[in-house]
Amino acid sequence: PFAFGFGTPVEGVTFGARVPLCPAPVEALEAAFDLTRSLVERYGGGRFDGEGEPLDERRMRAELAGIVESMSRAKLEPGGAECRR
């Protein structure tokens, strides 16, 4: 546990995104990676995926690329009007 200057310990922080709603999903993922690295560096702890396994940036990048490619084939633009309906 760590405290972000609030005095109350935090057991964990979760980040997520809805790819269809995000206009720049690749950039958002990279920013999340940067942020989590900074948090671990400053406060300790670790980075884990949704299954509790150590975060594998390469695997997550590949998964996101597949999602974006599937959307592109379906003529859907991340963050576009069709995805926001």
Side-chain angles (χ1 to χ4, degrees):
F2 50 87
F4 287 105
F6 311 125
T8 304
V10 175
E11 292 292 328
V13 178
T14 302
F15 296 94
R18 293 185 177 149
V19 175
L21 300 179
C22 183
V26 173
E27 291 81 357
L29 182 63
E30 292 303 325
F33 288 156
D34 290 345
L35 177 59
T36 59
R37 276 190 229 100
S38 295
L39 289 171
V40 168
E41 184 178 301
R42 181 166 181 177
Y43 298 104
R47 299 184 315 153
F48 303 94
D49 65 18
E51 307 301 318
E53 297 296 322
L55 187 69
D56 182 340
E57 289 186 16
R58 187 180 327 187
R59 180 184 58 77
M60 291 183 75
R61 284 183 186 104
E63 287 178 5
L64 180 58
I67 292 167
V68 171
E69 175 62 28
S70 292
M71 290 179 67
S72 177
R73 283 193 306 269
K75 306 281 191 255
L76 295 171
E77 180 182 346
E82 188 71 25
C83 291
R84 292 187 312 247
R85 289 183 192 209

